[in-house]
Amino acid sequence: MTIQWLAAEWPLAHVVAGTTMRAGGVSRGPYASLNLAAHVGDDDAAVAENRRRMRNGLSVPGEPLWLEQVHGCAVVRSDEVAPGGAAPMADAAIALQGDAVLGILTADCLPVLVCSLTRKELAAMHCGWRSLAGGIVAATVAALASDPANLVAWLGPAISQPYYEVGDEVRDTFLAGVEDAASCFLPNDRGRWQADLYGLARRYLAAVGVSRVYGGGFCTYAEATRFYSYRRDGTTGRMATLIWSAPSP
């Protein structure tokens, strides 16, 4: 089966970027079928085969730099990670020379890809609410050499506002952290809030000077045939959001 791929819709020809979808793999049960995460209880051999199919099906030029995502704000440089070593504990990765494949695994959290218009710089971020509120966007942009005005961002598939319920503590954290965060929360009839991860990410990107932002508008929770969702299913797989430099023509 062909690997299903949601390509990033942004005006950049010098990178390949996007998110895998569920079909095309060998995993079974709640992980069916293209689960790419090795930490969620799936069979290791199935995950390895899924990753092989992903690399071959998408012509990925090497094994992605996978992270041990911990909902923090650490940023790792691809040139500082030993090939074949343990996955670094971080929620963002950058490639200053565009010489690596960066990968983020998600099933409701927001993957954010960044590319420079003027340098060979790439970045990938795992933006759950804790990372986003904690400053992962600012930390990642600060780690790049490019002027933020020359950066372009793409927001991959995440849980949408109608399905993302949070409490006062989450809303209060964002209200204290970024301008106009209040507009990203709607009250519900349970005394809690529906949070707009896409809107919050756009505000954090704007706060550090990144104004070219594409993507958004997906919903991992509502689109069960296309995406994994932890909030919907509990035990489930993960999609991969990837970015790498396109081959020279």
Side-chain angles (χ1 to χ4, degrees):
M1 183 180 292
T2 302
I3 301 299
Q4 293 185 346
W5 173 248
L6 180 67
E9 294 184 347
W10 56 5
L12 301 175
H14 62 292
V15 295
V16 181
T19 300
T20 60
M21 291 185 281
R22 293 190 67 156
V26 300
S27 292
R28 298 182 178 182
Y31 309 107
S33 68
L34 192 70
N35 168 48
L36 296 167
H39 67 286
V40 295
D42 195 4
D43 179 69
D44 289 343
V47 176
E49 173 61 14
N50 290 341
R51 290 184 175 187
R52 185 194 69 80
R53 291 187 177 201
M54 178 202 70
R55 292 192 303 270
N56 291 346
L58 298 176
S59 299
V60 182
E63 184 68 21
L65 171 56
W66 302 112
L67 305 175
E68 183 178 343
Q69 298 164 188
V70 294
H71 297 273
C73 297
V75 182
V76 64
R77 285 176 42 166
S78 62
D79 58 347
E80 295 178 344
V81 178
M89 294 179 63
D91 284 86
I94 63 172
L96 297 180
Q97 296 299 321
D99 52 358
V101 181
L102 306 181
I104 295 295
L105 296 168
T106 62
D108 283 336
C109 291
L110 172 63
V112 179
L113 301 179
V114 173
C115 180
S116 173
L117 293 172
T118 57
R119 297 173 179 265
K120 295 181 179 180
E121 291 188 319
L122 311 174
M125 290 177 267
H126 167 242
C127 295
W129 81 262
R130 290 179 177 84
S131 296
L132 196 56
I136 195 167
V137 170
T140 302
V141 170
L144 299 172
S146 296
D147 187 313
N150 293 324
L151 296 176
V152 181
W154 181 71
L155 311 181
I159 191 168
S160 67
Q161 188 170 24
Y163 298 96
Y164 189 32
E165 180 180 290
V166 300
D168 288 337
E169 72 284 358
V170 174
R171 180 176 180 269
D172 291 346
T173 300
F174 280 110
L175 263 57
V178 70
E179 185 177 355
D180 194 33
S183 65
C184 296
F185 294 87
L186 295 175
N188 63 29
D189 58 7
R190 292 175 295 281
R192 290 167 63 82
W193 303 91
Q194 301 301 133
D196 179 7
L197 268 180
Y198 292 121
L200 289 164
R202 289 177 182 275
R203 282 155 179 77
Y204 277 96
L205 287 162
V208 294
V210 179
S211 59
R212 296 181 176 90
V213 183
Y214 298 84
F218 313 103
C219 184
T220 50
Y221 190 103
E223 300 178 66
T225 59
R226 301 175 77 196
F227 304 125
Y228 296 110
S229 169
Y230 179 80
R231 283 218 170 191
R232 183 188 63 231
D233 299 325
T235 300
T236 191
R238 300 292 187 272
M239 294 88 66
T241 296
L242 307 168
I243 185 169
W244 68 91
S245 294
S248 300

